[in-house]
């Protein structure tokens, strides 16, 4: 019967295990403990004299338990298995089936008996083995061995086992009677480069024989000598210590070091002075800030940088208020923003608002300096330029700014400035408002009084500046200042953990100030923000009133959820965006055109981010090639692939917002953007597989497809705007026919001065009404479509250089600079 045979086999193997467990459990326990001692490093910690005796005792224990187990082990026969299995069945059917009837073996009664026994035998099940180790091991020594084995498998290692085996081998190889003498190196040495080099300390004992040693100048070389008769000889520099057992030297020149028969050829690397270069001449932003590009490099890293701006008196047009000698004024010293981390090669940009400085719009010399860790200074060739500053086009505002400059130039100009102010305020009706008139008359009184003190001069200069800004910008400057103050108070409340009621009150105040500012902008119609009137080649931020409200709602939501850090960051971005805001009112087709421009702006941002991602992937491939790891996923591959996925999803969202659905141009733009999305997906997959070359090719295809799609969209928008402007242009021409020639000429002159063709985010020219001028490449380069991004980056650089800010905030700003 197959079922009974299987039960017999399992029962027999169980009985074999019982015999082996009873006989050899002491041997298994000793082996487990020996393995644990080796794996956990216990053997390596045993003192040398004790180890041979301990090893001998363990060996004897293994031999004794093995012999004892062999003597106790008994072979299990099949009859024994049958007997054990039969005892578990009622009536012992297995024994009954093996019986033979002496009389009547063929009778019905005997056959019925055998059938009954067969039925009972069919119920046979294998007997579970029981070695009875608990009775034979009352002290649970086998469990101690199992615990040691488990600890060795979890916490042990091959290194500890190797040390233990080496210790045992050394014990066997040497005579047991020999006294163990501890041995070790007779000396140790270290070469520590200066801290500013950021190089690691070198352990001289780890250097291979004959390996050259290159050290930066000023490195400290120290030794620790053990035992007698060991000495150090060198010719690399002066000694720094007097202890004969711990000599030290400073590496000043190339030479050699000899110690205990070893020679180190030392090459001292000279520390060169840093090199710094200025980029193009400083440029002026729309808000009057100066932007100066620079690059610096040093063999060990630039520590500090500085820009020194001095007046170029020889180049000043010495007329009017500048004819007299200026009062002494120190040069302007600005700290250059340096990145965190590696500073051996630095590309940076200095941004500073010097529009209120007395030298604004005057010739100056700009000198850049860089200093390394040992205070070596590198200087760039002084650059002569005009210090960027804000320009004023309102005649009265320009006159006030000129008087302010003359007073700051020299207080001897007080009498001349008083005469000019008297002329300006003569018959003020319709020319100077009453409040400003009273302020200017008060300034005349101050100027015609006693000689101005430093404080009186500075206070008067500030009052003239505020009056000029008020004249130039109208009420916008006040509204912008109120909005900025409300934002600063709200940010301060968030940082200080103010109560929810106080934060809500300040939020309502900010909303009211923002509404007032946008309302004043809306009243100006199609006019540009006053801060941009003198920089037509820089685009303004275009945003609708609904989008402003959505951003305010998002700030409110973040604060309600307790995400104060994110709310504060978004609040600062909102404030900087509002400074360059240009609100466009319009209904119907005007809103469609605004939507199209916003779509073009978003696509331009995505295209720029894709180009930056492609550049980073190319640099990553270069690093792989230099390290000989081509074809393998780099550590940065996952991050690049994730960014590629985000760009692809961002492009998909923008496709759903494109205008012109159903038109030929709009459909062509969508087809091209679909191709770009597929190329981005292929590039993402290639990056995850480590195929950087393939990813670069697909990224190039995505960039090309995006450009084609944006060209198609730009042509469609230009055509629509051209059709919309035809009727308006016809009406304008009819109105101009009735104008007098002189008036028309003057109007044309005014337009050419204040409304020169501007550029949209894609580099296309716009006329005075904001319409795209047909012709030209819609992706023409030459302008930066990321005005707001530049402003944000400038602000981050400025704040990261302010030492009075909390260290946590500066670390966060540093991480932003490292990333972007």
């Amino acid at each position: 019967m197959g079922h009974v045979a299987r039960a017999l086999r399992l029962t027999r193997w169980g009985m074999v295990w019982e015999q082996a467990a009873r006989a050899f459990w002491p041997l298994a326990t000793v082996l487990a403990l020996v393995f644990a001692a080796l794996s956990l490093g216990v053997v390596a910690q045993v003192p040398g004299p004790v180890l041979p005796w301990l090893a001998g005792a363990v060996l004897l224990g293994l031999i004794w338990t093995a012999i004892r187990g062999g003597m106790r082990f008994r072979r299990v026969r099949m009859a024994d298995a049958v007997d054990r299995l039969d005892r578990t069945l009622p009536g012992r059917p297995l024994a009954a089936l093996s019986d033979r009837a002496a009389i009547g073996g063929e009778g019905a009664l005997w056959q019925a008996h055998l059938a009954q026994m067969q039925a009972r035998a069919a119920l046979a099940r294998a007997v579970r083995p029981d070695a009875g180790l608990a009775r034979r091991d009352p002290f649970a020594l086998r469990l101690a061995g199992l615990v040691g084995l488990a600890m060795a498998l979890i916490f042990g290692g091959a290194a500890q086992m190797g040390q233990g085996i080496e210790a045992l081998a050394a014990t066997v190889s040497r005579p047991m009677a020999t006294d163990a003498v501890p041995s070790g190196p007779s000396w140790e040495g270290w070469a520590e480069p200066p801290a500013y080099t950021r190089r690691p300390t070198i352990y001289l004992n780890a250097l291979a024989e004959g390996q050259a040693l290159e050290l930066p100048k000023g490195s400290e070389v120290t030794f620790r000598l053990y035992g007698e008769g060991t000495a150090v000889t060198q010719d690399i520099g002066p000694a720094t210590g007097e202890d004969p057992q711990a000599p030290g030297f400073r590496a000043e020149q190339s030479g050699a070091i000899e110690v205990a028969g070893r020679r180190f050829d030392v090459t001292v690397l000279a520390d060169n002075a840093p090199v710094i270069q200025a980029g193009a001449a400083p440029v002026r932003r729309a808000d009057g800030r100066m932007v100066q590009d620079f690059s610096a490099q040093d063999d060990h890293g630039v520590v500090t940088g500085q820009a020194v701006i001095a007046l170029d008196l020889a180049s000043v047009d010495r007329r009017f208020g500048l004819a007299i000698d200026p009062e002494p004024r120190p040069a302007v010293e600005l700290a250059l923003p340096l990145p965190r981390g590696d500073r051996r090669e630095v590309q940076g940009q200095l941004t500073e608002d010097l529009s209120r400085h007395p030298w604004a719009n005057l010739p100056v010399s700009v000198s850049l300096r860089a200093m390394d860790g040992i205070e070596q200074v590198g200087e760039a060739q002084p650059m002569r330029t005009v210090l960027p500053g804000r320009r004023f086009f309102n005649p009265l505002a320009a006159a006030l700014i000129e008087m302010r400059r003359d007073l700051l130039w020299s207080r001897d100009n007080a009498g001349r400035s008083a005469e000019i102010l008297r002329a300006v305020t003569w018959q003020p009706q319709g020319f100077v408002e009453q409040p400003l008139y009273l302020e200017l008359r008060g300034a005349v009184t101050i100027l015609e009084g006693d000689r101005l003190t430093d404080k009186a001069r500075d206070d008067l200069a500030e009052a003239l500046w505020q009056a000029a800004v008020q004249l130039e910008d109208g009420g916008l400057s006040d509204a912008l200042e109120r909005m900025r103050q409300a934002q600063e108070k709200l940010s301060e409340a968030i940082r200080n953990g103010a109560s929810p009621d106080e934060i809500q009150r300040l939020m309502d105040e900010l909303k009211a100030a923002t509404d007032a500012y946008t309302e004043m902008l809306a009243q100006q119609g199609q006019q540009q923000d006053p801060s941009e009137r003198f920089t037509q080649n820089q685009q303004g931020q275009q945003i609708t009133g609904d989008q402003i409200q959505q951003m305010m709602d998002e700030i409110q939501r973040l604060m309600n959820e307790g995400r104060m850090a994110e709310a504060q960051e978004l609040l600062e971005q909102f404030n900087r965006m509002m400074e360059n805001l240009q609100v466009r009112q319009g209904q119907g087709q005007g809103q469609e055109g605004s939507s199209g421009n916003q779509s073009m702006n978003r696509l331009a941002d995505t295209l720029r981010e894709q180009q930056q991602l492609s550049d980073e992937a190319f640099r990553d491939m270069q690093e792989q090639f230099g390290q000989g790891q081509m074809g393998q996923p780099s550590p940065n591959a996952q991050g690049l692939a994730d960014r590629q996925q985000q760009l692809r999803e961002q492009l998909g969202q923008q496709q759903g917002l494109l205008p012109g659905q159903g038109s030929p141009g709009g459909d062509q733009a969508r087809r091209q953007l679909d191709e770009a999305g597929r190329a981005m997906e292929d590039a993402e997959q290639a990056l995850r597989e480590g195929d950087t070359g393939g990813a670069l090719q697909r990224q190039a295809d995505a960039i090309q497809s995006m450009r084609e799609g944006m060209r198609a969209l730009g042509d469609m928008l230009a055509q629509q705007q051209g059709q919309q402007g035809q009727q308006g242009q016809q009406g304008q021409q009819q109105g101009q026919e009735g104008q007098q020639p002189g008036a028309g000429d003057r109007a044309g002159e005014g337009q050419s001065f204040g409304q020169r063709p501007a550029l949209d985010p894609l580099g296309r020219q716009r006329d005075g009404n904001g319409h795209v001028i047909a012709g030209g490449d819609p992706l023409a380069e030459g302008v930066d479509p990321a005005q707001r991004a530049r402003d944000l980056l400038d602000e981050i650089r400025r704040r990261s250089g302010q030492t009075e800010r909390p260290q946590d905030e500066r670390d966060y700003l540093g991480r932003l600079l490292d990333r972007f």
Side-chain angles (χ1 to χ4, degrees), residues 63 73 139 289 371 476 497 598 678 681 704 728 755 765:
I63 296 174
F73 185 78
F139 299 104
R289 286 183 293 177
M371 183 182 298
L476 271 178
Q598 293 171 9
R678 286 191 290 269
E681 185 176 6
Q704 182 63 27
Q755 297 181 359
Q765 288 190 348

Side-chain angles (χ1 to χ4, degrees), residues 735-750:
Q736 290 179 351
E737 291 177 357
Q739 291 182 354
Q740 297 179 359
D745 295 341
R746 287 192 298 272
E749 293 174 359

Side-chain angles (χ1 to χ4, degrees), residues 310-317 359 361-365 385-387:
L311 179 66
D312 186 5
L313 190 59
S315 301
V316 176
D317 186 5
W359 298 340
N361 299 315
L362 290 179
V364 295
S365 63
T385 184
V386 174
L387 184 63

Side-chain angles (χ1 to χ4, degrees), residues 178-322:
T178 303
D179 294 335
V181 178
S183 62
S186 60
W187 62 273
E188 287 184 291
W190 300 267
E192 183 179 1
Y196 72 90
T197 64
R198 300 186 179 183
R199 290 194 175 191
T201 300
I202 301 175
Y203 184 54
L204 300 182
N205 298 66
L207 297 180
E209 190 72 28
Q211 182 177 351
L213 182 60
E214 294 183 350
L215 299 176
K217 187 176 181 179
S219 299
E220 298 286 341
V221 182
T222 56
F223 288 89
R224 177 69 64 180
L225 306 180
Y226 308 110
E228 301 295 335
T230 305
V232 178
T233 59
Q234 56 85 29
D235 57 357
I236 62 172
T240 57
E242 299 180 355
D243 187 355
Q245 297 300 118
F249 314 95
R250 181 180 295 108
E252 299 290 345
Q253 60 187 8
S254 299
I257 302 176
E258 294 185 2
V259 53
R262 287 199 61 180
R263 175 186 174 91
F264 299 94
D265 293 325
V266 180
T267 301
V268 175
L269 305 176
D271 192 343
N272 300 320
V275 177
I276 186 170
Q277 295 178 344
V283 297
R284 179 179 56 248
R285 292 281 175 83
D287 53 3
R289 286 183 293 177
M290 177 194 73
V291 178
Q292 174 64 61
D293 295 328
F294 68 91
S295 61
Q297 57 184 355
D298 185 70
D299 44 10
H300 298 303
V302 178
V303 176
T304 60
Q306 189 180 51
V308 180
I309 303 175
L311 179 66
D312 186 5
L313 190 59
S315 301
V316 176
D317 186 5
R318 305 293 296 276
R319 295 187 299 168
F320 308 117
L322 304 180

Side-chain angles (χ1 to χ4, degrees), residues 330-354:
V332 179
E333 297 181 355
L334 304 175
L336 296 179
L338 299 177
R340 299 173 42 167
D342 190 4
R343 294 183 178 179
R344 288 176 293 183
E345 293 186 2
V346 176
Q347 296 285 340
Q349 195 177 69
L350 172 65
T351 303
E352 192 70 24
D353 185 4
L354 298 176

Side-chain angles (χ1 to χ4, degrees), residues 24-38:
F24 295 107
W25 74 263
L27 178 62
T29 301
V30 175
L31 288 175
L33 293 175
V34 170
F35 180 80
L38 289 173

